[in-house]
Amino acid sequence: MSATENSVREWAHRGLAGERRALARLITLVENRLPEAAAVMRELTPHTGRAHILGITGAPGSGKSTLTNELIKEFRRRERKIGVVAIDPTSTLTGGAVLGDRIRMLENYQDPHVFIRSMATRGQLGGLAAMSNDVVRVMDACGKDLIIVETVGVGQDEVDVAKAAHTTILVEVPGMGDDIQAIKAGVLEIADLLVINKADRDGVERLNLHLQSMLNLAPKKEWSVPILKTVAAQGEGIAKLADQAEKHLTYLKQSGEYEKRERARLRDELLSRVREEISRRVLNREHSAGGLQEMLNRLEARSIDLYDAATVLLNQVAE
Amino acid sequence: MSQQPTSSDVALMNPPDAGRKIRVLIAKPGLDGHDRGAKVVTRGLRDAGMEVIYTGLHQTPEMIVEASLQEDVDVIGLSILSGAHNVLFPRIVNLLKQNGMDDVLVFAGGIIPPEDVPEILGMGIKAVFGPGTTLEDTARFIRENVRPSSGLAASSGEGR
């Protein structure tokens, strides 16, 4: 066994034993897809599958982080061990990011059973969901039994992240008008719980009716999506929200939907991992003979078409 | 700087195994409520391609170190204008040591009297940036001094 593998094993054991610094480092390894990542997942995977994964999504400014903070407190009262993955966008221009969700969750810093990790969307080849799912798995293996993934509900990538959760919570606020329609259209379909946050504002009933009518338009599901009102900044409505989240998990397990979703998610992830690996191999030999650059030259010269060029590249990396 | 990268350039610059972004935590220890400087640095380092976690005002040393631990940051920037640096900085540095995080690069900024700087540098904080420091200088300092990798080999916490 190599030295690296030994040390991965040691760090994995420390993480599994609940050591927070080891958990933090294991997350870094998988998040950055460092060479150790595969070995980390090999060690940790047998210990995964125990956590309830909550996805929280909604427009910027809808109060997701404040809501997450309140849910942390509520679930701590229920003696759950909590992991949070808070995702903020990477600047496409500079590749940098400001990760500011944590600022709303500071009051839990002394609690060893709350672990919060900020993540940037980056431009990963494997996609954001692949990365965040791995981070969730690491937390799961290291003993977190309730994991909240908070993301901005914009773009397919982030919808995929929310989709990977067992229970997806979509946060809306009154008075935001038509700007959020775009978000609703994509995410409403995958929401298991709808939350009207900042429900002390004007326009709650209007939004309520609107959401209700959109739900009525959707195909009938076995789980009827509840609309819950919260004022996260005041802690109002949080216990009910937590109740509904737990109820939803029970529904998933009793209906057999849990296994179905799990399998569908694994399928997506496995396929995306395969795509990622192919892209990586293609890029690795980008400048070799018959590589990506040569294909690009030939495509520009119209001496090959995209289908054949792809076949050439695939045959090269298939070994 | 040659030309603005396009978004697809950024995606290609960051293939899955090409490694990492430098992660920085910017914190305001103590009781002063002036965070303009910290926010400017946060933005500036983001624009330099780093991932910056900003934790806001009134942070205790314990909060700063715990957040740095969970986020596994490579760099901590401490902004302070209250004059309490002689009390707060040693506590932060000690907590980092206790947690096996000595390899995290720590720098300070804000209003710090020149006569205090040698002591601060002596305790392991690698730089003190006063008013007038450019963002380019700060970013360059970080790139030149940050630990080489967040892989396991580079970690001083190993085998504790």
Side-chain angles (χ1 to χ4, degrees), chain B residues 7-123:
Chain B
S7 61
S8 64
D9 284 341
V10 172
L12 285 177
M13 277 170 356
N14 189 23
D17 55 359
R20 74 216 254 260
K21 297 273 179 182
I22 295 175
R23 280 168 75 85
V24 186
L25 183 114
I26 298 291
K28 284 230 23 118
L31 294 177
D32 80 83
H34 302 281
D35 61 354
R36 176 57 53 101
K39 283 178 172 165
V40 168
V41 172
T42 297
R43 278 292 290 271
L45 295 181
R46 179 200 73 168
D47 291 344
M50 301 178 194
E51 291 181 355
V52 192
I53 296 136
Y54 179 56
T55 55
L57 296 169
H58 307 150
Q59 301 287 291
T60 64
E62 288 77 14
M63 289 165 102
I64 293 168
V65 172
E66 182 62 28
S68 304
L69 182 150
Q70 293 183 8
E71 300 288 359
D72 200 13
V73 293
D74 307 294
V75 185
I76 301 172
L78 302 168
S79 165
I80 193 162
L81 295 88
S82 67
H85 45 271
N86 288 332
V87 180
L88 295 172
F89 286 1
R91 281 174 55 196
I92 293 168
V93 171
N94 282 336
L95 280 169
L96 287 173
K97 280 205 185 100
Q98 280 173 30
N99 283 289
M101 296 164 67
D102 333 43
D103 60 341
V104 176
L105 174 68
V106 185
F107 71 94
I111 304 297
I112 290 165
E115 59 268 30
D116 290 351
V117 170
E119 197 187 325
I120 291 172
L121 296 177
M123 68 179 78

